[in-house]
Amino acid sequence: MSGHWVHSLIIGGHGYTFNLDTIYTMWFAMAVVLIFAFIATRNLSIIPNKLQAVAESFMLFIWGVLDTMIEKDNRRHVPLVASLFLFILTANLMGQLPLRIIHLKQGELASPTNDLNLTSAMAIIVLVYYVFMGLKKKKFKFFLHELSFTGIISGLVEILEMITRPLSLAIRLFANIFAGEILVTVALGVCAYLLPLPVMLFELLVAFIQATVFMMLTIAYVSSATGDEH
Amino acid sequence: MEELKTISDIAQLGGGIAIGFGAIGAGLGIGVATKGLMDAVSRQPEVAGKAFGFFLLGAALAEACALYAFVIAAKLVGLM
């Protein structure tokens, strides 16, 4: 692990740094998702071809999760949830591509999700989305359910959760991918060619699981924000 | 054996301690999740596939706690 390929820029008197490797790999992942979506949804037919079958199985999976966790009016969350799932899956799997062989001046081209900035950005999108959905559904009652002692305490806990939820979402995804890459590097040092293989296979599993976990937690947060009180 | 002299030496020790204690919690969590899976499958073998999916999710959530410790350890050791 040799850090990121950092580009510094001064805009209006403020210094900004850009992790260019993350940005390029993120664009690559976005392009892969876009091209997949474009090709898979062309020439839709009753008898699906292979790519359409794959896309349909993804959609059925996401619909199934949504149906189990949100009771009514759940199809409106599909755009955010499905794009998060597909993007995170693509980004995680990219870490196992031989893209890393390309040597940069500093850093390497690995998964974009091994950068805390990207995962934090996605977690903040989820935060804004579920707070917006909650405010739209329950108006001000989203913060304060009832004007009593327990109501105020639970409202404060709700505000505390607005910090802890995105924090845990971002760090969970980032740490899983980052730890996986370090694990591969360590295994490479112990016994090259032999030991990294099972670790990389395990990382393929982790990529799917983490994409699913991020999506399910997003749905759970939206569900708790828009659902009725229990 | 060299003595711990500088702050960074002690920080490396702290990184080791952090990931060790974090791993205890995650190990216990995954153990409890596996126990739950075994109970469910031995009681109702037909739900094995569905239960395994939930088990993987729960294990991933428990494992995340060790990875929070890993982030702290990586910060202390200087990987990040």
Side-chain angles (χ1 to χ4, degrees), chain A residues 168 171-172 174-176 178-179 182 209-210 213 216-217, chain B residues 54 56-57 60-61 63-64 67-68 70-71 74 79-80:
Chain A
S168 69
I171 294 182
R172 178 179 300 117
F174 157 71
N176 265 289
F178 185 64
I182 291 198
I209 291 176
Q210 287 309 314
V213 164
M216 286 188 114
L217 285 175
Chain B
F54 285 115
L56 279 183
L57 272 179
L61 286 178
E63 198 188 53
L67 290 163
Y68 299 151
F70 170 78
V71 171
L79 274 171
M80 280 166 59

Side-chain angles (χ1 to χ4, degrees), chain B residues 43-69:
Chain B
R43 208 168 287 166
Q44 276 179 297
E46 65 271 15
V47 299
K50 211 173 176 185
F52 189 69
F54 285 115
F55 161 74
L56 279 183
L57 272 179
L61 286 178
E63 198 188 53
C65 292
L67 290 163
Y68 299 151

Side-chain angles (χ1 to χ4, degrees), chain B residues 21-37:
Chain B
F21 277 102
I24 291 175
L28 285 175
I30 295 175
V32 171
T34 314
K35 174 183 169 293
L37 176 72

